[in-house]
Structure formats: C-alpha cells, structure tokens
Amino acid sequence: MKLVIDNLSKTYPNGVRALTNVSLRLTNGLFGLLGPNGAGKSSLMRTIATLQEADTGRIFLDDLDVLTNKTEVRQLLGYLPQDFGVYPTLSAERLLDHIAQVKGVGNKTERRALVEALLAQVNLFADRKKQLGTFSGGMKQRFGIAQALIGDPKLIIVDEPTAGLDPTERNRFYNLLSSLGDNTIVILSTHIVEDVSTLCSRFAIISRGEVLYSGEPGEAIKAL
Ligand code: ADP
Ligand code: ADP
C-alpha cells in the first residue's frame, strides 16, 4: 500500500490554522508523526481517517481518492483516536465481539475465533473476561489495537498511544506495534522521540501545522 498526502491545509472556523501545505508519502511499515501538543497531528490523522474535511489538498491510498471515497476508505482503515472510549462494564471479549458484529464479520463461531485470536495477539487472552473498566492504561491501549484490527485494515492510525504508559507497558506496546507493519501502513502520532527511534522505519516532524522533516530516523533523531 501507498499513502500519498499532497499539499493539505486546514484552518478551523475559529481561525486556528492547524495544517499548512502538508505533503507526505508513506508505504507499508511504521511511520511516526512526531510533534509537540498542538502541532496538528490529530488534525492530520482525523483528515486521513475521513472524519474531517481539509480546505485544500488531496490524499490517495493507492489509487483511491481518500477525501471523496469515505465509505471505501473506512473499510480499509483501523483508527484509534486519543482517549478512545470503552464501555467500562463490558468484558473485553464481549465488546470485541460486538464491534465484529457491527462490522459484519462472520457468524457467531467465526467471530469467537477472531476475537480470541485478536486478544491473544495483543496479549490479553487471559484477561478476556475482565470488565474493561478494570484495565490499566497499557491494557486499554493494547485492547484498542485489537479493536482497530477487526476487519483486517490496510491502514492503521494510532493517535498518541504511548502517552501515560509506564516503561513496562510501553515496551509491551512497542512489541505489539512492531508485529503489525509488514503488509500494513501504520501511522503513529507521538510527542515521544523514543517511540520513533524504537519503532519507526520512517517519520516526519510536524510543528505548527508544517512538516519540518520527513525521512529515516537515523541521524535526524540523534539531533533532537
Ligand atoms: P496535536 O494533535 O498535534 O496536538 P491538533 O491537530 O489537535 O494537534 O491541534 C492543532 C491546532 O488546532 C491546535 O492549535 C488546536 O487547538 C487546534 N484545533 C484542533 N482541533 C480543533 C477544532 N476542532 N477547532 C478549532 N481548533 C482546533
Ligand atoms: P489533542 O490536541 O490532545 O490531540 P484533539 O485535537 O484530539 O486534542 O482535540 C480533542 C477535541 O477537542 C476534538 O474534538 C477537537 O476537535 C476539539 N478541539 C481541540 N482543540 C480545539 C480548539 N482550539 N477549539 C475547539 N475545539 C478544539
């Protein structure tokens, strides 16, 4: 897969200019979007996820014009917003089964197999019957990845997933994310340099709505 973002700009109705001529090219693997709070990361990700409009610019996922084909894009997309909500009294397996049902995945037996495989993949199989309200921050983020993986997405967008995780949880999350990238574009937004240096094959630095750098982490990361 290839994601091409071409000259994207966005000013909110209150006059805040969140994105200015953002152009990026992404291929399969983990791509880090690094920038401080307020840089425009969420605005860019919501636009790619077809949840908000841009003023100018275009986005292509292979040959698909993203901004004018929302339904098709959403079928190819796993999107995990910052502070995504869970239903605290539902068990992990119950909520995943419900989401799979909404997304039209198979019959009851097939969904059960999928849900158990996903929970094993994110290392929550033993916790599958626990209420989501009892999950730690790290467990919740890993659960979010399982949720985003339903429907076999080709593009996965994760907004600030490691913020607030302790080092152990962060490492578990790194292991999980690095297992995803081969046939999928994974975009990870973060303000944590270590997320990029540990995980990402390519990254961009975004500040005040503008891309300041885009390339491989190597030397650029050491300079930060
Ligand atoms: P980041 O995700 O990097 O923290 P955001 O994309 O959330 O950055 O925000 C970029 C800028 O746009 C900030 O100044 C933010 O306050 C502003 N902003 C974000 N969403 C909206 C909105 N819906 N309406 C107005 N301004 C917004
Ligand atoms: P963050 O900067 O932490 O990434 P988000 O961009 O996710 O925050 O914003 C959370 C919510 O608040 C979103 O619905 C966004 O549209 C809205 N929002 C953010 N900044 C502003 C702002 N300056 N004015 C109005 N709404 C905003």
Side-chain angles (χ1 to χ4, degrees):
M1 283 264 151
K2 198 173 68 176
L3 183 74
V4 176
I5 299 165
D6 186 26
N7 227 16
L8 213 62
S9 292
K10 171 74 179 177
T11 300
Y12 287 108
N14 62 358
V16 173
R17 191 167 172 85
L19 299 172
T20 303
N21 298 330
V22 170
S23 296
L24 290 170
R25 285 170 177 273
L26 287 69
T27 51
N28 287 345
L30 258 75
F31 187 94
L33 191 61
L34 180 66
N37 275 334
K41 303 183 298 295
S42 298
S43 297
L44 178 57
M45 294 181 130
R46 285 196 300 263
T47 310
I48 300 168
T50 74
L51 300 173
Q52 75 177 39
E53 311 280 329
D55 299 329
T56 64
R58 303 180 79 181
I59 305 177
F60 283 92
L61 185 60
D62 284 345
D63 293 330
L64 186 65
D65 185 337
V66 167
L67 298 179
T68 58
N69 291 283
K70 293 184 186 176
T71 310
E72 291 84 343
V73 172
R74 287 175 193 179
Q75 282 164 0
L76 297 169
L77 176 76
Y79 173 59
L80 193 59
Q82 203 177 357
D83 299 325
F84 61 95
V86 291
Y87 297 88
T89 60
L90 287 188
S91 70
E93 65 177 5
R94 183 74 194 84
L95 181 55
L96 280 191
D97 179 72
H98 179 71
I99 295 167
Q101 203 172 348
V102 169
K103 288 201 177 176
V105 178
N107 59 34
K108 207 171 170 182
T109 313
E110 287 163 343
R111 286 203 309 275
R112 188 188 177 89
L114 173 71
V115 165
E116 291 191 352
L118 283 173
L119 286 169
Q121 186 178 351
V122 302
N123 222 338
L124 288 173
F125 187 77
D127 305 295
R128 66 194 183 281
K129 303 209 181 288
K130 290 186 186 155
Q131 290 190 344
L132 291 162
T134 68
F135 275 22
S136 70
M139 291 164 80
K140 195 175 155 226
Q141 285 301 345
R142 282 183 280 131
F143 178 79
I145 294 294
Q147 192 176 315
L149 286 173
I150 294 174
D152 204 13
K154 299 294 166 224
L155 172 63
I156 298 173
I157 296 179
V158 217
D159 200 348
E160 292 272 4
T162 64
L165 302 191
D166 68 35
T168 310
E169 285 179 328
R170 187 166 294 163
N171 278 328
R172 281 201 189 116
F173 194 75
Y174 285 169
N175 288 335
L176 170 60
L177 277 188
S178 48
S179 72
L180 299 181
D182 285 352
N183 302 304
T184 319
I185 301 173
V186 183
I187 311 177
L188 169 80
S189 96
T190 184
H191 62 270
I192 300 167
V193 175
E194 189 202 348
D195 287 1
V196 173
S197 55
T198 309
L199 282 176
C200 299
S201 49
R202 299 187 67 81
F203 84 118
I205 298 172
I206 180 168
S207 173
R208 297 171 186 266
E210 290 188 75
V211 174
L212 302 185
Y213 175 88
S214 165
E216 291 174 10
E219 294 301 311
I221 277 284
K222 284 185 213 144
L224 292 178

